[in-house]
Structures are given as C-alpha cells and as structure tokens.
Amino acid sequence: LLREVLVASGYKDIHTFDNGKEALDALVKIKEKKGNQFKEEVDILITDIEMPILDGHTVTRRIKEDPILSSLPVVIFSSLITDDLYHKGEAVGADCQISKPSIHELVDAVDSLVF
C-alpha cells in the first residue's frame, strides 16, 4: 500500500526491504560507493518501529550516528507510536514520526523532507 501511494504521488525508484538490517546494509553500501554524494541515490528512509532483525529505532539511530548518513531524512511510520515511543524516536534522531494509517500525512511529510 505504501509503495502504491508513493508511486501515485509521483515518487519513483522505491526500494523495499524485508527487515531493518537489509535497509541499513543497502544504505551503507551506497555510502561506501558514493561517499558524501550518497544522496544522489537515496532521498529518504521510511521505517516502521517493529521490524525483524533490526527495529526502526535502531536503524534510525545508526543512520543518525553515521557522520555521512546522518543527513538522510528518516521518517518513522508506525501504528506503535505512543508518547514513550515518540520520545524514543526523537532521541534516536527521527526527522518525523507519523502514526499509521495516516498515509496522506506521510506523503506530505515526505514531500516536505525531500523537496
């Protein structure tokens, strides 16, 4: 559903991953290839909180702790966002947190972070 909504909103070249580790590994590979120009290949990361292997908070924290990847906007899109988890998202550096199923709010957030 998320892919369909983003494509309908004009986004192309969307990559999905089965778990947080795959997403982080893909970003690290792009960083190793492109260095500071990694954003030529990736504009934003949308993550859920609950994912196999690495959860969304861990992925976000690792991105934001990386001197090169830290400029990548990260949106946490999850049905699990409570007050406590919202504070945790802030603590790990998420640029935006949106509670599911607010898909149109997500598209607005992506637009504002990418453009």
Side-chain angles (χ1 to χ4, degrees):
L1 175 64
L2 181 56
R3 175 188 285 279
E4 290 173 18
V5 170
L6 289 171
V7 168
S9 298
Y11 289 94
K12 306 178 244 180
D13 201 18
I14 299 167
H15 299 270
T16 58
F17 302 93
D18 292 327
N19 61 65
K21 183 179 183 321
E22 285 182 10
L24 189 59
D25 288 349
L27 288 171
V28 169
K29 186 175 180 181
I30 293 168
K31 177 186 84 165
E32 289 171 351
K33 176 180 161 189
K34 301 291 261 177
N36 287 326
Q37 281 73 46
F38 80 95
K39 288 182 86 178
E40 292 174 358
E41 293 195 25
V42 60
D43 294 314
I44 195 165
L45 175 75
I46 301 169
T47 184
D48 200 336
I49 291 174
E50 228 175 29
M51 295 187 300
I53 305 177
L54 287 179
D55 66 84
H57 287 134
T58 301
V59 171
T60 302
R61 181 180 47 77
R62 290 193 184 170
I63 288 168
K64 295 304 184 175
E65 287 176 346
D66 184 285
I68 293 175
L69 294 177
S70 63
S71 65
L72 181 69
V74 177
V75 176
I76 296 176
F77 185 57
S78 178
S79 60
L80 300 176
I81 298 175
T82 61
D83 285 342
D84 287 341
L85 289 178
Y86 188 86
H87 292 300
K88 186 169 183 179
E90 286 181 326
V92 297
D95 295 277
C96 185
Q97 299 178 78
I98 299 169
S99 190
K100 288 180 182 176
S102 302
I103 195 82
H104 297 294
E105 186 180 337
L106 174 68
V107 172
D108 290 343
V110 169
D111 287 347
S112 69
L113 289 166
V114 171
F115 298 110

